[in-house]
Amino acid sequence: MSEEENGGGDLKKTIIGVLATVLTAAGGVVVTQFENLIGGGAEPVQTEQVVQQPVMPTIVIENNNTQTQTAPPPQIIRERVVEVPAKEEKKEEVVEEPAPPPSAKDRLLARRKNN
């Protein structure tokens, strides 16, 4: 139901928009015709101006430099023998782990033996 009511309002807004556009365009045409009748719409006469191009100087570049490629200096390769002492083998150290502390039961038994 609300769509039908809303549709009528949209149609009215569209018609008013179209009429406003047509009246604005017609007003522009009337104003233009009125200016032409009065003579206020005459455009100023344009005159052509000839611009003389500046003379460009001619530049001549002579390149007498020639590139020459020289061979790199010879490389001298010398071999030499370097003695490196052998690495000493590491001896594995045996680390004895301390015995775990006696349990409460073992301590009690040891105490009874001593008494």
Side-chain angles (χ1 to χ4, degrees):
M1 179 111 178
S2 64
E3 292 178 2
E4 294 174 5
E5 293 173 4
N6 203 10
D10 288 341
L11 183 61
K12 288 179 186 176
K13 289 179 185 177
T14 304
I15 292 172
I16 292 171
V18 169
L19 287 175
T21 305
V22 169
L23 288 174
T24 304
V29 170
V30 170
V31 169
T32 305
Q33 294 297 326
F34 187 68
E35 284 180 353
N36 287 339
L37 289 175
I38 295 176
E43 296 180 10
V45 178
Q46 295 181 354
T47 57
E48 290 186 26
Q49 295 179 352
V50 178
V51 179
Q52 188 176 17
Q53 294 290 334
V55 177
M56 299 298 289
T58 304
I59 300 173
V60 178
I61 299 174
E62 292 182 18
N63 190 358
N64 293 332
N65 297 334
T66 55
Q67 295 180 353
T68 57
Q69 188 172 13
T70 58
Q75 295 180 353
I76 300 173
I77 300 173
R78 294 187 181 130
E79 293 183 19
R80 63 181 181 159
V81 177
V82 177
E83 293 183 18
V84 179
K87 293 182 180 178
E88 296 180 16
E89 295 181 19
K90 291 185 178 179
K91 294 181 181 178
E92 294 184 20
E93 295 180 17
V94 178
V95 178
E96 293 183 23
E97 295 182 10
S103 66
K105 182 179 179 182
D106 293 337
R107 285 184 292 183
L108 233 159
L109 290 174
R111 214 188 251 176
R112 282 188 184 171
K113 282 183 184 180
N114 289 339
N115 285 339

